[in-house]
Coordinates of all heavy atoms in Angstrom, one line a residue:
E1003 N 68.7 53.8 126.9 CA 68.8 54.0 128.4 C 69.1 52.7 129.1 O 69.9 52.7 130.1 CB 67.5 54.5 128.9 CG 67.2 56.0 128.5 CD 68.3 56.9 128.9 OE1 68.7 56.8 130.1 OE2 68.7 57.8 128.1
I1004 N 68.6 51.5 128.7 CA 68.9 50.3 129.3 C 70.4 49.9 129.1 O 71.0 49.5 130.0 CB 68.0 49.1 128.6 CG1 66.5 49.3 129.1 CG2 68.5 47.8 129.0 CD1 65.6 48.4 128.4
D1005 N 70.9 50.2 127.9 CA 72.3 49.9 127.6 C 73.2 50.8 128.5 O 74.2 50.3 129.0 CB 72.6 50.2 126.1 CG 74.0 49.8 125.7 OD1 74.3 48.6 125.7 OD2 74.8 50.7 125.4
R1006 N 72.8 52.0 128.7 CA 73.6 52.9 129.5 C 73.6 52.4 131.0 O 74.7 52.4 131.6 CB 73.1 54.3 129.5 CG 73.4 55.1 128.2 CD 72.7 56.4 128.2 NE 73.0 57.2 127.0 CZ 72.3 58.2 126.6 NH1 71.3 58.7 127.3 NH2 72.6 58.8 125.4
A1007 N 72.5 51.9 131.4 CA 72.4 51.4 132.8 C 73.2 50.1 132.9 O 73.9 49.9 133.9 CB 70.9 51.1 133.1
V1008 N 73.2 49.2 131.9 CA 74.0 48.0 131.9 C 75.5 48.3 132.0 O 76.2 47.8 132.8 CB 73.7 47.1 130.7 CG1 74.7 46.0 130.5 CG2 72.3 46.6 130.8
K1009 N 75.9 49.3 131.1 CA 77.3 49.6 131.1 C 77.7 50.3 132.4 O 78.9 50.1 132.9 CB 77.6 50.5 129.9 CG 77.3 49.8 128.6 CD 78.1 48.5 128.4 CE 77.6 47.7 127.2 NZ 77.7 48.3 125.9
A1010 N 76.9 51.1 133.0 CA 77.2 51.7 134.3 C 77.3 50.6 135.4 O 78.3 50.7 136.2 CB 76.1 52.7 134.7
R1011 N 76.5 49.6 135.3 CA 76.6 48.5 136.3 C 77.9 47.8 136.1 O 78.5 47.4 137.1 CB 75.4 47.6 136.1 CG 75.4 46.3 136.9 CD 74.1 45.6 136.7 NE 74.3 44.1 136.9 CZ 73.4 43.2 136.6 NH1 72.2 43.6 136.2 NH2 73.7 41.9 136.8
L1012 N 78.3 47.5 134.9 CA 79.5 46.8 134.6 C 80.7 47.6 135.1 O 81.7 47.1 135.7 CB 79.7 46.5 133.1 CG 78.8 45.4 132.6 CD1 78.9 45.3 131.1 CD2 79.2 44.0 133.2
R1013 N 80.7 48.9 134.8 CA 81.8 49.8 135.3 C 81.9 49.7 136.8 O 83.0 49.6 137.4 CB 81.6 51.2 134.9 CG 81.9 51.5 133.4 CD 82.0 53.0 133.1 NE 80.8 53.7 133.4 CZ 79.8 53.9 132.6 NH1 79.8 53.4 131.3 NH2 78.7 54.5 132.9
Q1014 N 80.8 49.8 137.5 CA 80.8 49.8 139.0 C 81.3 48.5 139.5 O 82.0 48.4 140.5 CB 79.4 50.1 139.5 CG 78.9 51.5 139.2 CD 77.4 51.6 139.4 OE1 76.7 50.7 139.7 NE2 76.9 52.8 139.1
M1015 N 80.9 47.4 138.8 CA 81.3 46.0 139.3 C 82.8 45.9 139.2 O 83.5 45.4 140.2 CB 80.6 44.9 138.5 CG 81.0 43.5 138.9 SD 80.2 42.2 137.9 CE 81.2 42.4 136.4
W1016 N 83.4 46.3 138.1 CA 84.9 46.1 137.9 C 85.7 47.1 138.7 O 86.9 46.9 138.9 CB 85.2 46.1 136.4 CG 84.8 44.9 135.7 CD1 83.8 44.8 134.9 CD2 85.4 43.6 135.9 NE1 83.6 43.4 134.5 CE2 84.6 42.7 135.1 CE3 86.4 43.0 136.6 CZ2 84.9 41.3 135.0 CZ3 86.7 41.7 136.5 CH2 85.9 40.8 135.7
A1017 N 85.0 48.1 139.2 CA 85.7 49.1 140.1 C 85.7 48.6 141.6 O 86.4 49.2 142.4 CB 85.1 50.5 140.0
L1018 N 84.9 47.6 141.9 CA 84.8 47.1 143.2 C 86.1 46.4 143.6 O 86.8 45.8 142.7 CB 83.7 46.1 143.4 CG 82.3 46.6 143.2 CD1 81.3 45.5 143.2 CD2 81.9 47.6 144.4
G1019 N 86.5 46.4 144.9 CA 87.6 45.6 145.3 C 88.9 46.1 144.8 O 89.2 47.4 144.8
D1020 N 89.8 45.2 144.3 CA 91.1 45.6 143.8 C 91.5 44.7 142.7 O 92.4 43.9 142.8 CB 92.1 45.5 145.0 CG 93.4 46.1 144.7 OD1 93.6 46.6 143.6 OD2 94.3 46.1 145.6
Y1021 N 90.8 44.9 141.5 CA 91.2 44.1 140.4 C 92.7 44.3 140.0 O 93.3 43.4 139.5 CB 90.3 44.3 139.2 CG 90.6 43.4 138.0 CD1 90.3 42.0 138.1 CD2 91.4 43.8 136.9 CE1 90.7 41.1 137.1 CE2 91.8 42.9 135.9 CZ 91.4 41.6 136.0 OH 91.8 40.7 135.0
P1022 N 93.2 45.5 140.1 CA 94.6 45.7 139.7 C 95.5 44.7 140.5 O 96.5 44.2 140.0 CB 94.9 47.1 140.1 CG 93.6 47.8 139.9 CD 92.6 46.8 140.3
A1023 N 95.2 44.4 141.8 CA 96.0 43.5 142.5 C 95.8 42.1 142.0 O 96.8 41.3 141.9 CB 95.5 43.5 144.0
V1024 N 94.6 41.7 141.5 CA 94.4 40.4 140.9 C 95.3 40.2 139.7 O 96.0 39.2 139.5 CB 92.9 40.2 140.6 CG1 92.7 38.8 139.9 CG2 92.1 40.2 141.8
A1025 N 95.3 41.3 138.8 CA 96.0 41.2 137.6 C 97.5 41.1 137.9 O 98.2 40.4 137.2 CB 95.7 42.4 136.7
E1026 N 98.0 41.9 138.9 CA 99.4 42.0 139.1 C 100.0 40.8 140.0 O 101.1 40.4 139.8 CB 99.8 43.3 139.8 CG 101.2 43.6 139.8 CD 101.5 45.1 140.2 OE1 100.6 45.8 140.5 OE2 102.7 45.4 140.2
E1027 N 99.1 40.3 140.9 CA 99.6 39.3 141.8 C 99.2 37.9 141.4 O 100.0 36.9 141.8 CB 99.0 39.6 143.2 CG 99.4 40.9 143.8 CD 98.7 41.2 145.1 OE1 97.9 40.4 145.6 OE2 99.0 42.3 145.6
V1028 N 98.1 37.7 140.7 CA 97.6 36.4 140.5 C 97.9 35.9 139.0 O 98.3 34.8 138.8 CB 96.1 36.3 140.7 CG1 95.6 34.8 140.5 CG2 95.8 36.7 142.1
I1029 N 97.7 36.8 138.1 CA 98.0 36.4 136.6 C 98.9 37.4 136.0 O 98.6 37.9 134.9 CB 96.6 36.3 135.9 CG1 95.8 37.6 136.0 CG2 95.9 35.1 136.3 CD1 94.6 37.6 135.1
P1030 N 100.0 37.7 136.6 CA 100.9 38.8 136.0 C 101.5 38.6 134.7 O 101.7 39.6 133.9 CB 102.0 39.0 137.1 CG 102.1 37.6 137.7 CD 100.7 37.1 137.7
D1031 N 101.7 37.3 134.3 CA 102.3 37.1 133.0 C 101.4 36.7 131.9 O 101.8 36.4 130.8 CB 103.4 35.9 133.2 CG 104.4 36.3 134.3 OD1 104.8 37.5 134.3 OD2 104.8 35.4 135.0
L1032 N 100.1 36.7 132.1 CA 99.1 36.2 131.1 C 99.1 37.1 129.9 O 99.0 36.6 128.8 CB 97.7 36.1 131.8 CG 96.8 35.0 131.2 CD1 97.5 33.6 131.3 CD2 95.5 35.0 132.0
G1033 N 99.2 38.4 130.1 CA 99.1 39.3 128.9 C 100.3 39.1 128.0 O 100.2 39.1 126.8
A1034 N 101.5 38.8 128.6 CA 102.7 38.6 127.8 C 102.6 37.4 127.0 O 103.2 37.3 125.9 CB 103.9 38.6 128.8
V1035 N 101.9 36.4 127.5 CA 101.7 35.1 126.7 C 100.9 35.5 125.4 O 101.3 35.0 124.3 CB 100.9 34.1 127.5 CG1 100.4 33.0 126.6 CG2 101.7 33.6 128.7
L1036 N 99.9 36.3 125.5 CA 99.1 36.7 124.4 C 99.9 37.6 123.4 O 99.9 37.4 122.2 CB 97.9 37.5 124.8 CG 97.0 38.1 123.7 CD1 96.5 36.9 122.8 CD2 95.8 38.8 124.3
V1037 N 100.7 38.5 124.0 CA 101.6 39.4 123.1 C 102.5 38.5 122.3 O 102.7 38.8 121.1 CB 102.3 40.4 124.0 CG1 103.4 41.1 123.2 CG2 101.3 41.4 124.5
R1038 N 103.1 37.5 122.9 CA 104.1 36.7 122.2 C 103.3 35.8 121.1 O 103.8 35.7 120.0 CB 104.8 35.7 123.1 CG 105.9 36.4 124.0 CD 106.8 35.4 124.7 NE 106.0 34.6 125.6 CZ 105.8 34.9 126.9 NH1 106.3 36.0 127.4 NH2 105.2 34.0 127.7
A1039 N 102.2 35.3 121.5 CA 101.4 34.5 120.5 C 101.0 35.3 119.3 O 100.9 34.8 118.2 CB 100.3 33.8 121.2
A1040 N 100.6 36.5 119.5 CA 100.2 37.4 118.5 C 101.4 38.0 117.7 O 101.1 38.8 116.7 CB 99.3 38.5 119.0
D1041 N 102.6 37.7 118.1 CA 103.8 38.1 117.4 C 103.8 39.7 117.3 O 104.1 40.2 116.2 CB 103.9 37.5 116.0 CG 105.3 37.6 115.4 OD1 106.3 37.7 116.2 OD2 105.4 37.6 114.2
V1042 N 103.6 40.4 118.4 CA 103.6 41.8 118.3 C 105.1 42.3 118.1 O 106.0 41.8 118.8 CB 103.1 42.4 119.7 CG1 103.3 43.9 119.7 CG2 101.6 42.1 119.8
Q1043 N 105.2 43.2 117.2 CA 106.5 43.7 116.8 C 106.7 45.2 117.0 O 105.7 45.9 117.1 CB 106.8 43.4 115.3 CG 106.7 41.9 114.9 CD 107.9 41.1 115.5 OE1 109.0 41.6 115.5 NE2 107.6 39.9 115.9
A1044 N 107.9 45.6 117.1 CA 108.1 47.1 117.2 C 107.5 47.8 116.0 O 107.7 47.3 114.9 CB 109.6 47.3 117.3
G1045 N 106.8 48.9 116.3 CA 106.2 49.6 115.2 C 104.8 49.2 114.9 O 104.1 50.0 114.2
D1046 N 104.3 48.1 115.4 CA 102.9 47.7 115.2 C 102.0 48.7 115.9 O 102.3 49.2 117.0 CB 102.6 46.3 115.8 CG 103.2 45.2 114.9 OD1 103.5 45.4 113.7 OD2 103.3 44.1 115.4
R1047 N 100.8 48.9 115.3 CA 99.7 49.7 116.0 C 98.9 48.6 116.6 O 98.2 47.8 116.0 CB 98.9 50.5 114.9 CG 99.7 51.5 114.2 CD 99.0 52.0 113.0 NE 98.7 50.9 112.0 CZ 97.9 51.0 111.1 NH1 97.1 52.0 110.9 NH2 97.7 49.9 110.2
V1048 N 98.8 48.7 118.0 CA 98.1 47.7 118.8 C 97.0 48.3 119.6 O 97.2 49.3 120.2 CB 99.1 47.0 119.7 CG1 98.4 46.0 120.6 CG2 100.2 46.2 118.9
L1049 N 95.8 47.6 119.6 CA 94.7 48.0 120.4 C 94.5 46.8 121.4 O 94.3 45.7 121.0 CB 93.4 48.3 119.6 CG 92.2 48.5 120.5 CD1 92.3 49.8 121.3 CD2 90.9 48.6 119.6
D1050 N 94.5 47.1 122.7 CA 94.1 46.2 123.7 C 92.7 46.5 124.2 O 92.4 47.6 124.7 CB 95.1 46.2 124.9 CG 94.8 45.2 125.9 OD1 94.0 44.3 125.7 OD2 95.5 45.2 127.0
V1051 N 91.7 45.6 123.9 CA 90.3 45.8 124.1 C 90.0 45.3 125.5 O 90.3 44.1 125.8 CB 89.4 45.2 123.1 CG1 88.0 45.4 123.4 CG2 89.8 45.8 121.7
A1052 N 89.2 46.1 126.3 CA 88.9 45.7 127.7 C 90.2 45.3 128.4 O 90.4 44.3 129.0 CB 87.9 44.5 127.7
A1053 N 91.1 46.3 128.3 CA 92.5 46.1 128.7 C 92.7 46.1 130.2 O 93.7 45.6 130.7 CB 93.4 47.3 128.2
G1054 N 91.7 46.5 131.0 CA 91.9 46.5 132.5 C 93.1 47.4 132.8 O 93.1 48.6 132.5
T1055 N 94.0 46.9 133.5 CA 95.2 47.6 133.9 C 96.4 47.4 133.0 O 97.5 47.8 133.3 CB 95.6 47.2 135.4 OG1 95.8 45.8 135.4 CG2 94.6 47.6 136.4
G1056 N 96.1 46.8 131.8 CA 97.2 46.7 130.8 C 98.0 45.4 130.8 O 99.1 45.4 130.4
N1057 N 97.3 44.3 131.2 CA 98.1 43.1 131.3 C 98.7 42.7 130.0 O 99.8 42.1 129.9 CB 97.1 42.0 131.8 CG 97.8 40.8 132.5 OD1 98.8 40.4 132.0 ND2 97.3 40.4 133.6
A1058 N 98.0 43.0 128.9 CA 98.6 42.8 127.5 C 99.2 44.0 126.9 O 100.2 44.0 126.2 CB 97.6 42.2 126.6
A1059 N 98.5 45.2 127.2 CA 98.9 46.4 126.6 C 100.4 46.8 127.0 O 101.1 47.3 126.2 CB 97.9 47.5 127.0
I1060 N 100.7 46.7 128.3 CA 102.0 47.1 128.7 C 103.1 46.2 128.1 O 104.1 46.8 127.6 CB 102.1 47.1 130.3 CG1 101.2 48.2 130.8 CG2 103.5 47.2 130.8 CD1 101.1 48.3 132.3
P1061 N 103.0 44.9 128.1 CA 104.0 44.1 127.4 C 104.1 44.4 125.9 O 105.2 44.4 125.3 CB 103.6 42.6 127.6 CG 102.8 42.7 128.8 CD 102.1 44.0 128.8
A1062 N 103.0 44.7 125.3 CA 103.0 45.1 123.9 C 103.8 46.4 123.7 O 104.6 46.6 122.7 CB 101.6 45.3 123.3
A1063 N 103.6 47.4 124.6 CA 104.3 48.6 124.5 C 105.8 48.4 124.8 O 106.7 49.0 124.1 CB 103.8 49.6 125.5
L1064 N 106.2 47.6 125.7 CA 107.6 47.3 126.0 C 108.2 46.6 124.8 O 109.5 46.6 124.7 CB 107.7 46.4 127.3 CG 107.3 47.2 128.6 CD1 107.3 46.2 129.7 CD2 108.2 48.4 128.8
A1065 N 107.4 45.9 124.0 CA 108.0 45.3 122.8 C 108.2 46.3 121.6 O 108.7 45.9 120.6 CB 107.0 44.1 122.3
G1066 N 107.8 47.5 121.9 CA 108.1 48.6 120.9 C 106.9 48.9 120.0 O 107.0 49.8 119.1
A1067 N 105.7 48.4 120.3 CA 104.5 48.7 119.6 C 104.0 50.1 120.0 O 104.2 50.5 121.1 CB 103.5 47.6 119.8
T1068 N 103.2 50.7 119.2 CA 102.4 51.8 119.5 C 101.0 51.4 120.0 O 100.3 50.8 119.2 CB 102.2 52.8 118.3 OG1 103.5 53.2 117.9 CG2 101.4 54.0 118.6
V1069 N 100.7 51.6 121.3 CA 99.6 50.8 121.9 C 98.6 51.8 122.4 O 98.9 52.8 123.0 CB 100.1 50.0 123.0 CG1 99.0 49.2 123.7 CG2 101.2 49.0 122.5
V1070 N 97.3 51.4 122.2 CA 96.2 52.0 122.9 C 95.5 51.0 123.8 O 95.2 49.9 123.3 CB 95.1 52.6 121.9 CG1 93.9 53.1 122.6 CG2 95.7 53.6 121.0
A1071 N 95.4 51.3 125.1 CA 94.7 50.4 126.0 C 93.3 51.0 126.3 O 93.2 52.1 126.8 CB 95.5 50.3 127.3
S1072 N 92.3 50.3 125.9 CA 90.9 50.8 126.1 C 90.2 49.9 127.1 O 90.3 48.7 127.1 CB 90.2 50.8 124.8 OG 90.0 49.5 124.3
D1073 N 89.4 50.5 127.9 CA 88.5 49.8 128.9 C 87.4 50.7 129.3 O 87.4 51.9 129.2 CB 89.4 49.4 130.1 CG 88.7 48.3 130.9 OD1 87.8 48.6 131.8 OD2 89.1 47.2 130.7
L1074 N 86.3 50.0 129.7 CA 85.1 50.6 130.1 C 85.2 51.3 131.5 O 84.5 52.3 131.8 CB 83.9 49.6 130.2 CG 82.5 50.1 130.3 CD1 82.1 50.9 129.1 CD2 81.5 48.9 130.5
T1075 N 86.1 50.8 132.3 CA 86.2 51.3 133.7 C 87.4 52.2 133.9 O 88.5 51.8 133.9 CB 86.3 50.0 134.6 OG1 85.2 49.1 134.4 CG2 86.3 50.4 136.1
P1076 N 87.1 53.5 134.2 CA 88.2 54.4 134.3 C 89.1 54.2 135.5 O 90.3 54.5 135.4 CB 87.4 55.8 134.5 CG 86.0 55.4 134.9 CD 85.8 54.1 134.3

Side-chain angles (χ1 to χ4, degrees):
E1003 290 303 317
I1004 291 172
D1005 185 68
R1006 286 175 180 164
V1008 167
K1009 299 303 168 59
R1011 174 177 150 186
L1012 287 172
R1013 284 195 299 271
Q1014 292 164 2
M1015 181 183 74
W1016 288 107
L1018 294 172
D1020 192 355
Y1021 184 75
V1024 176
E1026 191 168 4
E1027 297 173 2
V1028 182
I1029 51 170
D1031 300 322
L1032 209 55
V1035 170
L1036 177 59
V1037 168
R1038 288 193 297 270
D1041 194 28
V1042 172
Q1043 300 291 320
D1046 284 343
R1047 298 166 298 163
V1048 174
L1049 175 66
D1050 186 3
V1051 178
T1055 56
N1057 208 314
I1060 291 174
L1064 292 173
T1068 300
V1069 181
V1070 175
S1072 67
D1073 197 275
L1074 191 65
T1075 304

